[in-house]
Amino acid sequence: MLKTSVPFHLFRQVLIVVGSLVLCGVLLGYFISPKWFILSGIIGIGMVFSGVSGFCSLLKILPLCPWNKK
């Protein structure tokens, strides 16, 4: 059985947030307006920057969220 009181690890939370934003950008771009594809592009650029530089601003922000407080 899953423990719901324990939050996901930070890296897993980053993957969930980034994957959700890319998926939203693609779906909105397909169904609403092609301009929404820019969102997925910006997220992709951020992932490349994070991989090259080793700095991920989302990893700095997520520990401050209330569900990550102990």
Side-chain angles (χ1 to χ4, degrees):
M1 186 166 180
L2 267 166
K3 294 181 181 179
T4 57
S5 63
V6 178
F8 292 119
H9 294 288
L10 287 178
F11 187 69
R12 194 167 174 192
Q13 291 179 32
V14 168
L15 293 176
I16 291 169
V17 170
V18 170
S20 299
L21 286 172
V22 169
L23 180 63
C24 286
V26 169
L27 291 175
L28 288 169
Y30 185 76
F31 290 112
I32 305 297
S33 170
K35 291 180 182 180
W36 281 102
F37 288 124
I38 295 171
L39 175 64
S40 297
I42 290 171
I43 298 299
I45 290 170
M47 291 175 66
V48 170
F49 174 77
S50 177
V52 170
S53 69
F55 176 77
C56 179
S57 58
L58 193 54
L59 275 174
K60 303 290 182 189
I61 295 170
L62 280 175
L64 303 175
C65 293
W67 57 84
N68 289 323
K69 302 281 183 181
K70 290 185 179 180

